């Protein structure tokens, strides 16, 4: 499988020997939820007082308007961000990364399950001291030869990428294929081996992120402990000093999902102790001039069950004022038992709302107004499940997650993971884009950070007695991205999830009436239906043009005043042009 799909969107052609791969993934963005059962104010779940006129059958016509005067939320420009697992060091692909910029601006969080098994070793290049003749020997010695050209991948030197001979790419693929099985075994057994990050690897990682327009967030190992269970910061201090000597602009974290440490090493760290550890880390940062004002995020807890909420409370009491944003993780379902129909359940989509409320309650108790990030979100746990969490159907959860988080004021969401072992990521084993990648790309291209309130009215079937109605049509609205020069400021972007097995019709009203609309309709491509790993945009399949070029994302123009027809089981974006919305005229 070929790795890096290009020198994307940097304006420079990908060299002929450049490995296919880490796609043109990154550019800016998201939205307020509106459904039949949701009026215009976010959070109010009372049913709309709509009566069905005599003779009208169960068909639904939705009238949709947007409040264009002022946004209800403003989220980060980096709202949709990415995670890169440290396993990339283990399998060797770090040395072959290319620049990918289509999902910039964004944060790149270097963290994951292996964070707390990572140690920094300040040796520039240990490769020549290892092994004898053989593929691994030549690969490691080849690393010496590409150090100079790889490290030239920085902005001062024009972000030029090293050119790798085909034979070295083949050797790297052999190495990665062998390591893939080892890493998957670790992931599913929840038992991890130690990883060493060299100074050369850190240089490569930072320059890769910097040239891609991504801000690096580095999670330090929190499981290096003293006998009294306090954090042993010696290795972290070595990494901090080295990064400062290179003047690297990095934000920091400590640990990954610390509430689960007992299952990893049989030794727990409570919230209060982790709070003390964060306070210690903040003190270290303040002693180093380069990082005296660096951002610090945490505690990156897991799903907020009762014991995890207690962990967060203990942390906030001690270190709530120390972190710049409070972070947590979320996985919707157990990947071992997932079915494609799970991704269509509105009850499942709504579980995130309960978690947001729990986190907000704790944070607002101790540090009112503190920013909250969902950091490490995946459709399924346990690495995902083949043909499910990497399928078109999983996109319903992902797009709803983006809309729901933005509407409830969560500042950043970090997608887990761009590149990892399992099936929760954005590219496949050949580094071709998966459906969630195309969703993310459209989101970045079309969605700006200002969230708008939606007003919905329509006709709905009479609910059956005793049955809870959970809506299957979800509508979000934002100002269109300022970075998209195809649309003038003041335009509005809607994105819509239709989980119904029938089409739905939406008539734009009020300020949106009689405006030209550009449609971006995503549907599965091929015979696999919802299981498909390929998508089509307005009927045209999406695929890379070549190793370094993304396809043009062409909209379908709709005439002014036309009713929007939303096909069943689809996701779509609609740019309403030239609305001249007051909320969207200025940044």
């Amino acid at each position: 499988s070929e790795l890096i799909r290009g020198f994307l969107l940097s304006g420079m052609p990908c060299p002929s020997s450049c490995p296919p791969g880490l796609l043109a993934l990154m550019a800016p963005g998201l939205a307020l939820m509106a459904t039949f059962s949701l009026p215009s104010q976010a959070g109010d779940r009372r049913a709309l007082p709509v009566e069905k006129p005599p003779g009208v059958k169960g068909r639904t016509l939705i009238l949709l308007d947007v409040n264009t005067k002022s946004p209800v939320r403003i989220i980060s420009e980096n709202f949709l961000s990415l995670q890169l697992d440290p396993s990339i060091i283990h399998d060797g692909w770090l040395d072959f990364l290319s620049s990918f910029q289509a999902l910039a601006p964004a944060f790149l969080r270097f963290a994951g399950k292996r964070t707390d098994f990572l140690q920094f070793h300040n040796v520039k290049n240990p490769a020549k001291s290892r092994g004898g003749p053989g593929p691994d020997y030549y690969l490691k010695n080849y690393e010496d030869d590409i150090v100079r050209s790889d490290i030239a991948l920085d902005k001062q030197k024009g972000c030029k990428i090293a050119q790798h001979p085909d034979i070295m790419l083949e050797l790297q693929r052999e190495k990665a294929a062998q390591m893939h099985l080892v890493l998957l075994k670790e992931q599913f057994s929840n038992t991890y081996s130690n990883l060493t990050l060299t100074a050369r690897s850190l240089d490569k990682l930072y320059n890769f992120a910097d040239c891609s327009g991504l801000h690096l967030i580095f999670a330090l190992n929190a499981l290096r402990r003293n006998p009294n269970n306090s954090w042993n910061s010696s290795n972290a201090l070595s990494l901090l000093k080295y990064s400062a000597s290179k003047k690297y602009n990095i934000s920091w974290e400590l640990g990954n999902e610390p509430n689960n440490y007992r299952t990893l090493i049989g030794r727990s760290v409570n919230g209060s102790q982790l709070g003390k550890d964060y306070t210690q880390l903040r003190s270290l940062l303040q002693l180093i001039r380069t990082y005296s004002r660096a951002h610090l995020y945490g505690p990156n807890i897991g799903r907020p069950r009762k014991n995890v909420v207690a962990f967060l409370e203990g942390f906030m009491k001690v270190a709530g004022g120390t972190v710049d944003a409070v972070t947590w993780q979320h996985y919707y379902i157990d990947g071992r038992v997932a079915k494609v129909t799970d991704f269509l359940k509105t009850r499942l989509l709504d579980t995130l709302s309960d978690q947001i409320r729990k986190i907000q309650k704790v944070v607002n108790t101790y540090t009112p107004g503190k920013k909250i990030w969902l950091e490490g979100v995946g459709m399924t746990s346990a690495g995902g499940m083949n043909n499910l969490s990497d399928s078109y159907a999983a996109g319903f959860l992902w797009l709803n997650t983006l809309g729901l988080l933005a509407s409830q004021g969560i500042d950043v969401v970090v997608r887990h993971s761009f590149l990892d072992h399992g099936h929760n990521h954005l590219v496949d084993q050949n580094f071709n884009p998966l459906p969630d990648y195309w969703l993310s790309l459209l989101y970045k291209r079309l969605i700006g950070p200002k969230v708008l309130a939606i007003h919905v009215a329509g006709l709905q079937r009479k609910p059956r007695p005793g049955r809870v109605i959970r809506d299957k049509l979800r509508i979000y609205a934002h100002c269109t991205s300022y970075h998209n020069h195809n649309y003038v400021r003041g335009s509005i972007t809607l994105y819509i999830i239709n989980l119904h097995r029938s089409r739905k019709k939406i008539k734009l009203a009020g300020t949106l009436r009689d405006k030209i609309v550009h449609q971006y309709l995503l549907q599965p491509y091929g015979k696999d239906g919802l299981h498909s790993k390929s998508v089509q945009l307005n009927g045209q399949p999406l695929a890379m043009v070549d190793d370094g070029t993304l396809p043009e994302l062409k909209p379908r123009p709709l005439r002014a005043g036309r009713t929007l027809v939303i096909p069943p089981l689809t996701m779509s974006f609609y740019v309403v042009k030239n609305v001249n919305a007051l909320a969207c005229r200025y940044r």
Side-chain angles (χ1 to χ4, degrees), residues 389-429:
S389 48
D390 51 2
S391 68
Y392 177 86
F396 295 125
L397 281 178
W398 177 226
L399 191 58
N400 187 70
T401 296
L402 294 172
L404 191 60
L405 291 171
S407 69
Q408 298 201 22
I410 302 304
D411 199 49
V412 170
V413 53
V414 179
R415 170 61 189 243
H416 180 281
S417 170
F418 172 68
L419 170 65
D420 197 357
H421 298 274
H423 307 282
N424 269 330
H425 39 258
L426 295 176
V427 295
D428 67 14
Q429 293 179 355

Short mmCIF file of all heavy atoms in Angstrom, two decimals, residues 389-429:
data_model
loop_
_atom_site.label_atom_id
_atom_site.label_comp_id
_atom_site.label_asym_id
_atom_site.label_seq_id
_atom_site.Cartn_x
_atom_site.Cartn_y
_atom_site.Cartn_z
N SER A 389 -16.88 1.36 10.22
CA SER A 389 -16.45 2.67 10.66
C SER A 389 -15.64 3.41 9.61
O SER A 389 -15.33 4.59 9.78
CB SER A 389 -15.63 2.56 11.95
OG SER A 389 -14.65 1.55 11.86
N ASP A 390 -15.29 2.74 8.51
CA ASP A 390 -14.63 3.42 7.40
C ASP A 390 -15.53 3.50 6.17
O ASP A 390 -15.07 3.67 5.05
CB ASP A 390 -13.31 2.74 7.05
CG ASP A 390 -13.45 1.23 6.84
OD1 ASP A 390 -14.60 0.74 6.94
OD2 ASP A 390 -12.44 0.56 6.61
N SER A 391 -16.85 3.37 6.40
CA SER A 391 -17.80 3.33 5.29
C SER A 391 -18.58 4.64 5.16
O SER A 391 -18.48 5.53 6.00
CB SER A 391 -18.82 2.20 5.53
OG SER A 391 -19.65 2.51 6.65
N TYR A 392 -19.37 4.73 4.11
CA TYR A 392 -20.23 5.89 3.92
C TYR A 392 -21.17 6.08 5.11
O TYR A 392 -21.40 7.20 5.57
CB TYR A 392 -21.05 5.73 2.64
CG TYR A 392 -22.03 6.86 2.39
CD1 TYR A 392 -21.64 8.01 1.73
CD2 TYR A 392 -23.36 6.76 2.82
CE1 TYR A 392 -22.54 9.05 1.51
CE2 TYR A 392 -24.26 7.79 2.61
CZ TYR A 392 -23.84 8.94 1.94
OH TYR A 392 -24.73 9.97 1.74
N ALA A 393 -21.72 4.98 5.64
CA ALA A 393 -22.69 5.07 6.73
C ALA A 393 -22.12 5.77 7.96
O ALA A 393 -22.84 6.47 8.68
CB ALA A 393 -23.19 3.67 7.11
N ALA A 394 -20.82 5.57 8.24
CA ALA A 394 -20.21 6.20 9.40
C ALA A 394 -20.21 7.71 9.29
O ALA A 394 -20.11 8.42 10.29
CB ALA A 394 -18.78 5.68 9.59
N GLY A 395 -20.34 8.22 8.07
CA GLY A 395 -20.37 9.67 7.87
C GLY A 395 -21.55 10.35 8.55
O GLY A 395 -21.47 11.53 8.91
N PHE A 396 -22.67 9.63 8.71
CA PHE A 396 -23.81 10.23 9.40
C PHE A 396 -23.42 10.65 10.82
O PHE A 396 -23.78 11.74 11.28
CB PHE A 396 -24.98 9.25 9.45
CG PHE A 396 -25.55 8.89 8.11
CD1 PHE A 396 -25.66 7.56 7.71
CD2 PHE A 396 -25.98 9.87 7.23
CE1 PHE A 396 -26.19 7.23 6.47
CE2 PHE A 396 -26.52 9.56 5.99
CZ PHE A 396 -26.61 8.22 5.61
N LEU A 397 -22.70 9.77 11.51
CA LEU A 397 -22.24 10.11 12.86
C LEU A 397 -21.23 11.25 12.82
O LEU A 397 -21.28 12.16 13.65
CB LEU A 397 -21.60 8.88 13.52
CG LEU A 397 -22.53 7.82 14.10
CD1 LEU A 397 -21.71 6.66 14.66
CD2 LEU A 397 -23.41 8.41 15.20
N TRP A 398 -20.29 11.20 11.88
CA TRP A 398 -19.23 12.20 11.84
C TRP A 398 -19.79 13.59 11.53
O TRP A 398 -19.49 14.56 12.22
CB TRP A 398 -18.19 11.79 10.79
CG TRP A 398 -17.06 12.75 10.56
CD1 TRP A 398 -16.57 13.16 9.36
CD2 TRP A 398 -16.25 13.41 11.55
NE1 TRP A 398 -15.52 14.02 9.53
CE2 TRP A 398 -15.30 14.19 10.87
CE3 TRP A 398 -16.24 13.42 12.95
CZ2 TRP A 398 -14.35 14.98 11.53
CZ3 TRP A 398 -15.29 14.19 13.61
CH2 TRP A 398 -14.36 14.96 12.91
N LEU A 399 -20.65 13.70 10.53
CA LEU A 399 -21.19 15.02 10.18
C LEU A 399 -22.11 15.54 11.28
O LEU A 399 -22.10 16.74 11.59
CB LEU A 399 -21.93 14.93 8.84
CG LEU A 399 -22.33 16.28 8.23
CD1 LEU A 399 -21.12 17.16 8.00
CD2 LEU A 399 -23.08 16.07 6.91
N ASN A 400 -22.90 14.65 11.89
CA ASN A 400 -23.75 15.08 12.99
C ASN A 400 -22.90 15.53 14.19
O ASN A 400 -23.26 16.47 14.90
CB ASN A 400 -24.69 13.97 13.41
CG ASN A 400 -25.70 14.44 14.44
OD1 ASN A 400 -26.61 15.22 14.14
ND2 ASN A 400 -25.55 13.98 15.68
N THR A 401 -21.78 14.85 14.42
CA THR A 401 -20.87 15.25 15.50
C THR A 401 -20.38 16.67 15.27
O THR A 401 -20.37 17.49 16.20
CB THR A 401 -19.67 14.28 15.56
OG1 THR A 401 -20.14 12.97 15.90
CG2 THR A 401 -18.66 14.73 16.60
N LEU A 402 -19.97 16.98 14.06
CA LEU A 402 -19.48 18.32 13.76
C LEU A 402 -20.57 19.36 14.00
O LEU A 402 -20.34 20.40 14.62
CB LEU A 402 -19.00 18.38 12.31
CG LEU A 402 -17.76 17.53 11.98
CD1 LEU A 402 -17.50 17.51 10.48
CD2 LEU A 402 -16.54 18.04 12.73
N GLY A 403 -21.78 19.08 13.51
CA GLY A 403 -22.86 20.04 13.68
C GLY A 403 -23.27 20.22 15.13
O GLY A 403 -23.49 21.34 15.60
N LEU A 404 -23.38 19.11 15.84
CA LEU A 404 -23.83 19.16 17.23
C LEU A 404 -22.83 19.89 18.12
O LEU A 404 -23.19 20.72 18.96
CB LEU A 404 -24.06 17.73 17.74
CG LEU A 404 -24.77 17.58 19.07
CD1 LEU A 404 -26.16 18.19 19.02
CD2 LEU A 404 -24.86 16.11 19.45
N LEU A 405 -21.55 19.58 17.94
CA LEU A 405 -20.52 20.23 18.75
C LEU A 405 -20.48 21.73 18.51
O LEU A 405 -20.39 22.52 19.45
CB LEU A 405 -19.15 19.61 18.45
CG LEU A 405 -18.94 18.16 18.91
CD1 LEU A 405 -17.63 17.62 18.35
CD2 LEU A 405 -18.93 18.06 20.42
N ALA A 406 -20.54 22.13 17.25
CA ALA A 406 -20.50 23.55 16.94
C ALA A 406 -21.71 24.28 17.52
O ALA A 406 -21.59 25.35 18.10
CB ALA A 406 -20.44 23.75 15.43
N SER A 407 -22.88 23.66 17.41
CA SER A 407 -24.10 24.30 17.90
C SER A 407 -24.12 24.45 19.41
O SER A 407 -24.76 25.34 19.95
CB SER A 407 -25.33 23.50 17.45
OG SER A 407 -25.40 22.27 18.12
N GLN A 408 -23.38 23.58 20.10
CA GLN A 408 -23.36 23.65 21.56
C GLN A 408 -22.10 24.32 22.10
O GLN A 408 -21.80 24.26 23.29
CB GLN A 408 -23.54 22.26 22.15
CG GLN A 408 -24.89 21.65 21.77
CD GLN A 408 -25.34 20.53 22.67
OE1 GLN A 408 -24.91 20.42 23.82
NE2 GLN A 408 -26.21 19.68 22.17
N GLY A 409 -21.32 24.94 21.21
CA GLY A 409 -20.22 25.78 21.67
C GLY A 409 -18.92 25.07 21.97
O GLY A 409 -18.05 25.65 22.61
N ILE A 410 -18.76 23.82 21.52
CA ILE A 410 -17.48 23.14 21.69
C ILE A 410 -16.51 23.74 20.67
O ILE A 410 -16.79 23.75 19.47
CB ILE A 410 -17.62 21.62 21.50
CG1 ILE A 410 -18.66 21.07 22.49
CG2 ILE A 410 -16.28 20.93 21.68
CD1 ILE A 410 -18.37 21.36 23.95
N ASP A 411 -15.36 24.21 21.12
CA ASP A 411 -14.51 25.06 20.31
C ASP A 411 -13.73 24.30 19.24
O ASP A 411 -13.51 24.81 18.14
CB ASP A 411 -13.53 25.81 21.22
CG ASP A 411 -12.92 27.03 20.54
OD1 ASP A 411 -13.68 27.81 19.96
OD2 ASP A 411 -11.68 27.17 20.57
N VAL A 412 -13.30 23.08 19.55
CA VAL A 412 -12.46 22.30 18.64
C VAL A 412 -12.86 20.84 18.75
O VAL A 412 -13.17 20.35 19.83
CB VAL A 412 -10.95 22.46 18.96
CG1 VAL A 412 -10.10 21.47 18.17
CG2 VAL A 412 -10.49 23.88 18.70
N VAL A 413 -12.83 20.11 17.62
CA VAL A 413 -12.99 18.66 17.64
C VAL A 413 -11.80 18.07 16.91
O VAL A 413 -11.46 18.50 15.80
CB VAL A 413 -14.32 18.22 16.99
CG1 VAL A 413 -14.50 18.80 15.60
CG2 VAL A 413 -14.41 16.71 16.94
N VAL A 414 -11.13 17.11 17.54
CA VAL A 414 -9.96 16.46 16.95
C VAL A 414 -10.37 15.08 16.48
O VAL A 414 -10.75 14.23 17.29
CB VAL A 414 -8.80 16.37 17.96
CG1 VAL A 414 -7.60 15.68 17.33
CG2 VAL A 414 -8.41 17.76 18.46
N ARG A 415 -10.28 14.86 15.19
CA ARG A 415 -10.68 13.58 14.62
C ARG A 415 -9.61 12.52 14.89
O ARG A 415 -8.46 12.70 14.60
CB ARG A 415 -10.89 13.71 13.11
CG ARG A 415 -11.08 12.38 12.35
CD ARG A 415 -12.32 11.62 12.84
NE ARG A 415 -12.35 10.29 12.26
CZ ARG A 415 -13.30 9.85 11.44
NH1 ARG A 415 -14.30 10.65 11.10
NH2 ARG A 415 -13.27 8.63 10.97
N HIS A 416 -10.04 11.41 15.43
CA HIS A 416 -9.14 10.29 15.71
C HIS A 416 -9.44 9.19 14.72
O HIS A 416 -10.51 8.59 14.75
CB HIS A 416 -9.35 9.80 17.14
CG HIS A 416 -8.48 8.66 17.52
ND1 HIS A 416 -8.72 7.35 17.16
CD2 HIS A 416 -7.33 8.64 18.24
CE1 HIS A 416 -7.78 6.57 17.65
NE2 HIS A 416 -6.93 7.32 18.31
N SER A 417 -8.56 8.92 13.83
CA SER A 417 -7.26 9.47 13.66
C SER A 417 -7.01 9.56 12.16
O SER A 417 -7.56 8.77 11.40
CB SER A 417 -6.22 8.57 14.32
OG SER A 417 -4.91 8.93 14.01
N PHE A 418 -6.20 10.53 11.74
CA PHE A 418 -5.92 10.65 10.31
C PHE A 418 -5.22 9.40 9.79
O PHE A 418 -5.55 8.85 8.75
CB PHE A 418 -5.05 11.88 10.05
CG PHE A 418 -4.58 11.95 8.63
CD1 PHE A 418 -5.50 12.18 7.62
CD2 PHE A 418 -3.25 11.76 8.31
CE1 PHE A 418 -5.08 12.21 6.30
CE2 PHE A 418 -2.84 11.80 7.00
CZ PHE A 418 -3.75 12.05 5.99
N LEU A 419 -4.22 8.95 10.52
CA LEU A 419 -3.46 7.78 10.11
C LEU A 419 -3.18 6.94 11.33
O LEU A 419 -2.59 7.40 12.29
CB LEU A 419 -2.14 8.23 9.47
CG LEU A 419 -1.12 7.13 9.20
CD1 LEU A 419 -1.66 6.15 8.16
CD2 LEU A 419 0.19 7.73 8.72
N ASP A 420 -3.65 5.67 11.34
CA ASP A 420 -3.49 4.81 12.50
C ASP A 420 -3.70 3.38 12.02
O ASP A 420 -3.83 3.11 10.84
CB ASP A 420 -4.52 5.19 13.58
CG ASP A 420 -4.15 4.63 14.95
OD1 ASP A 420 -3.14 3.91 15.05
OD2 ASP A 420 -4.89 4.92 15.90
N HIS A 421 -3.75 2.46 12.98
CA HIS A 421 -3.99 1.06 12.64
C HIS A 421 -5.37 0.70 13.14
O HIS A 421 -5.67 0.79 14.32
CB HIS A 421 -2.91 0.19 13.26
CG HIS A 421 -1.55 0.54 12.73
ND1 HIS A 421 -1.06 0.00 11.57
CD2 HIS A 421 -0.63 1.44 13.16
CE1 HIS A 421 0.13 0.53 11.32
NE2 HIS A 421 0.42 1.39 12.27
N GLY A 422 -6.24 0.28 12.23
CA GLY A 422 -7.63 0.01 12.54
C GLY A 422 -8.46 0.61 11.42
O GLY A 422 -8.02 0.70 10.28
N HIS A 423 -9.66 1.07 11.74
CA HIS A 423 -10.56 1.52 10.67
C HIS A 423 -11.30 2.80 11.04
O HIS A 423 -12.36 3.07 10.49
CB HIS A 423 -11.55 0.41 10.32
CG HIS A 423 -10.88 -0.89 9.99
ND1 HIS A 423 -10.27 -1.12 8.78
CD2 HIS A 423 -10.68 -2.01 10.74
CE1 HIS A 423 -9.75 -2.34 8.77
NE2 HIS A 423 -9.99 -2.90 9.95
N ASN A 424 -10.75 3.59 11.97
CA ASN A 424 -11.39 4.84 12.34
C ASN A 424 -10.81 6.04 11.61
O ASN A 424 -11.17 7.16 11.89
CB ASN A 424 -11.26 5.09 13.85
CG ASN A 424 -12.42 4.50 14.63
OD1 ASN A 424 -13.54 4.42 14.11
ND2 ASN A 424 -12.17 4.07 15.84
N HIS A 425 -9.87 5.84 10.71
CA HIS A 425 -9.14 6.96 10.16
C HIS A 425 -9.77 7.47 8.87
O HIS A 425 -10.82 7.00 8.44
CB HIS A 425 -7.66 6.59 9.96
CG HIS A 425 -7.46 5.20 9.47
ND1 HIS A 425 -7.07 4.16 10.28
CD2 HIS A 425 -7.61 4.65 8.24
CE1 HIS A 425 -6.98 3.04 9.56
NE2 HIS A 425 -7.29 3.32 8.33
N LEU A 426 -9.09 8.44 8.25
CA LEU A 426 -9.65 9.15 7.11
C LEU A 426 -9.15 8.63 5.77
O LEU A 426 -9.69 9.00 4.73
CB LEU A 426 -9.34 10.65 7.22
CG LEU A 426 -9.98 11.38 8.40
CD1 LEU A 426 -9.51 12.83 8.45
CD2 LEU A 426 -11.50 11.32 8.33
N VAL A 427 -8.09 7.83 5.78
CA VAL A 427 -7.57 7.27 4.53
C VAL A 427 -7.40 5.77 4.71
O VAL A 427 -7.23 5.27 5.81
CB VAL A 427 -6.22 7.92 4.15
CG1 VAL A 427 -6.40 9.39 3.83
CG2 VAL A 427 -5.18 7.73 5.24
N ASP A 428 -7.43 5.04 3.59
CA ASP A 428 -7.32 3.59 3.68
C ASP A 428 -5.85 3.15 3.69
O ASP A 428 -4.95 3.99 3.75
CB ASP A 428 -8.11 2.92 2.56
CG ASP A 428 -7.52 3.18 1.16
OD1 ASP A 428 -6.37 3.66 1.06
OD2 ASP A 428 -8.21 2.92 0.17
N GLN A 429 -5.61 1.86 3.61
CA GLN A 429 -4.25 1.36 3.71
C GLN A 429 -3.38 1.76 2.53
O GLN A 429 -2.15 1.69 2.60
CB GLN A 429 -4.27 -0.17 3.86
CG GLN A 429 -4.87 -0.63 5.17
CD GLN A 429 -4.93 -2.14 5.29
OE1 GLN A 429 -4.61 -2.86 4.36
NE2 GLN A 429 -5.32 -2.63 6.47
#
